[in-house]
């Protein structure tokens, strides 16, 4: 009896040392493995969903902008080619862009009379709709509000000779991206721009273009200059790339829009953005605002003011 007990005890000791005598995981270890496996699978699904929602099309060309704000220490005391007048005459606030001297389509630059080169100013790149020019968007925001907050506004013209629309809407990224990049470079080299308040905005076709170039150029280091995107009645977005840094997004659309249907356009864009990892859109606050209003294909003054406040907050 004693010998048999000793044999069993020795066998149990040996079995504990055998590599196949124990299951590879304890119950606790298996549970942790299952949780980590499930989490990895969920993350892979989210990444796949985001890529599908982004629908990146590299054949559209390069939408990346190279211009970045310049340190105030390297700015000239007086911007080149801009003469300021300390009055509120409208003509003193709008200046020709003149990125391509002699060109028929350049654009405008709104410089508030309250601008002070010692203080950083917020900046808006405002993109016009189809069959238009920068001048058509010059009065979209109330100038009193822009003056109060020292907001500089860049209003480029699309390169299309007839002003019909922006390059990606009729093919791919090209002349308009290069022109905007040169205009931003000139602006950044002459004005003290707040790098935490740079908005890519637009109306209608310009709103579609703002999304299409704003998302690949989300702010932070080498990724791009834009901290905010303001899409007012957009139709779509076409993306060739996507910045890992997500800018804040404001979308507004009229529920009675007969030109660009809110459900087929902004509603679909909001769904794609959420699928790409943006938080669910909110109507009032947050990094992704989706504001519906009673109206058609337009930007009511109260909607423009609300979008501006969201950007400046």
């Amino acid at each position: 009896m004693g010998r048999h007990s000793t044999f069993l005890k020795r066998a149990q000791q040996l079995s504990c040392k055998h590599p196949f005598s124990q299951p590879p995981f304890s119950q606790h270890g298996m549970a942790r493995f299952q949780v980590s496996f499930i989490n990895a699978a969920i993350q892979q699904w989210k990444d796949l969903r985001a890529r599908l929602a982004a629908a990146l099309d590299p054949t559209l060309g390069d939408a990346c902008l190279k211009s970045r704000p310049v340190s105030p220490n390297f700015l000239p005391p007086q911007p080149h080619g801009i003469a300021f007048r300390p009055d509120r005459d409208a003509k003193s606030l709008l200046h020709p862009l003149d990125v391509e001297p002699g060109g028929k389509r350049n654009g405008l630059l709104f410089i508030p009379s309250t601008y002070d080169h010692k203080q950083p100013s917020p900046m808006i790149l405002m993109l016009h709709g189809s069959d238009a020019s920068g001048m058509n968007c010059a009065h979209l925001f109330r100038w009193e509000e822009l003056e109060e907050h020292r907001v500089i506004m860049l209003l480029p013209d699309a390169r299309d000779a007839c002003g019909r629309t922006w390059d990606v809407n009729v093919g791919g990224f090209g002349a308009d991206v290069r022109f905007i990049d040169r205009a931003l470079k000139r602006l950044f080299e002459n004005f003290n721009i707040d790098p935490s308040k740079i908005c890519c905005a637009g109306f209608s076709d310009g709103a579609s273009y703002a999304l299409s170039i704003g998302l690949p150029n989300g702010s932070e280091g080498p990724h791009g200059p834009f901290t905010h995107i303001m899409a007012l009645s957009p139709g779509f977005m076409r993306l060739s790339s996507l910045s890992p840094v997500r800018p804040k997004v404001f979308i507004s659309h009229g529920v009675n829009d007969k030109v660009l249907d809110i459900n087929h356009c902004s509603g679909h864009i909001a769904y794609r953005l959420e699928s790409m990892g943006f938080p669910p859109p909110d109507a009032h606050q947050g990094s992704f605002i989706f504001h519906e209003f009673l109206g058609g294909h337009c930007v009511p003054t109260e909607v423009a003011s609300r979008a501006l406040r969201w950007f400046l907050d």
Side-chain angles (χ1 to χ4, degrees), residues 195-214:
S196 68
K197 295 290 182 185
I198 302 179
C199 180
C200 185
F203 167 66
S204 191
D205 273 14
S208 301
Y209 202 58
L211 288 164
S212 299
I213 68 170

Side-chain angles (χ1 to χ4, degrees), residues 8 17 20 30 44 57 66 86-87 93-94 109 136-137 146-147 174 176 194 211 218 236 263 294:
L8 289 176
K17 297 179 181 180
F20 299 105
M30 178 60 78
Q44 289 180 354
D57 184 0
K66 299 178 177 60
D87 56 51
L93 304 180
L94 281 177
L109 190 60
N136 295 91
C137 292
L146 299 179
E147 288 260 276
D176 285 323
D194 185 350
L211 288 164
F236 57 87
N263 294 318
L294 292 175

Side-chain angles (χ1 to χ4, degrees), residues 63-64 173 211-218 223-224 238-243:
C64 294
F173 296 109
L211 288 164
S212 299
I213 68 170
L215 290 171
N217 292 284
H223 302 299
R238 303 182 69 190
L239 303 173
S240 62
S241 60
L242 194 62
S243 170

